Each structure stands twice: as structure tokens, then as C-alpha cells.
Amino acid sequence: MSDTPVEAPGAADEPPAHRIKRLRMRAMRRGIKEMDIILSRYAEARLGAMDAAALDGFDALLCENDQDLYQWVTGQSAPPAQFAPLVAEIAAEASGGK
């Protein structure tokens, strides 16, 4: 895995509302039902208030493998440093914290 964020094709030119809608769809269609639920709840609660840099980080996180994401969010393994703050927010949201 590279330390450079992965940018979705056309994300730089994408209107913010379209980008948020696309990220919400990607968050809820993961492949692992648990991650669908966790990430879609986080996306619904937080994406609308994120700036472009935070959306870039979430977009990059969604490029990661579901098995890895699940282990990071559930605390089974530590996420890479670049994702640690975001994963902590997602885990807090999943456990009912804000």
C-alpha cells in the first residue's frame, strides 16, 4: 500500500454534491455486510460536513480491502498511520459515540 492517497477518476472536477453521493454509494456497497452498515452510517452522519481534504481521505480509505477495514475498525489490528484518525472516528460512530 502506498502512502499517497488514491484519488477517484474525475474527483477533482466532481461537484461536491455528486462526490458525496458517490462516496455514500461506495460506503454502502462494500461486499461485507458489516462494513456496508458501519461505513454507510458513518457516511450519512459525517460526509455532508467534510471539507475536500477529509473527503479525499475517506475516498482513499474506501479503496482499501474490506477485510483490512473491518479489522481496523473493530480494533483487531492497527490501521496505517494515514488512516488512524479516520478509522477512530468511524469506530466511534459505529459504537454509538460522536
Side-chain angles (χ1 to χ4, degrees), residues 25-72:
M25 291 300 295
R26 285 185 62 205
M28 74 176 165
R29 297 185 189 265
R30 299 295 306 168
I32 296 177
K33 190 64 174 174
E34 292 85 349
M35 291 312 302
D36 292 351
I37 293 166
I38 291 167
L39 292 175
S40 64
R41 284 182 182 165
Y42 178 82
E44 284 300 316
R46 303 285 184 98
L47 290 187
M50 286 184 174
D51 63 14
L55 290 173
D56 288 345
F58 189 69
D59 207 348
L61 183 75
L62 293 179
C63 293
E64 297 296 317
N65 179 287
D66 262 4
Q67 295 293 336
D68 293 335
L69 286 172
Y70 185 74
Q71 289 184 355
W72 299 341

Side-chain angles (χ1 to χ4, degrees), residues 1-2 7 12 19 22 28 39 43 48 65 67 91 93 98:
M1 179 178 82
S2 169
E7 185 174 303
R19 186 173 192 197
R22 176 178 57 79
M28 74 176 165
L39 292 175
N65 179 287
Q67 295 293 336
E93 187 74 35
K98 298 288 176 187

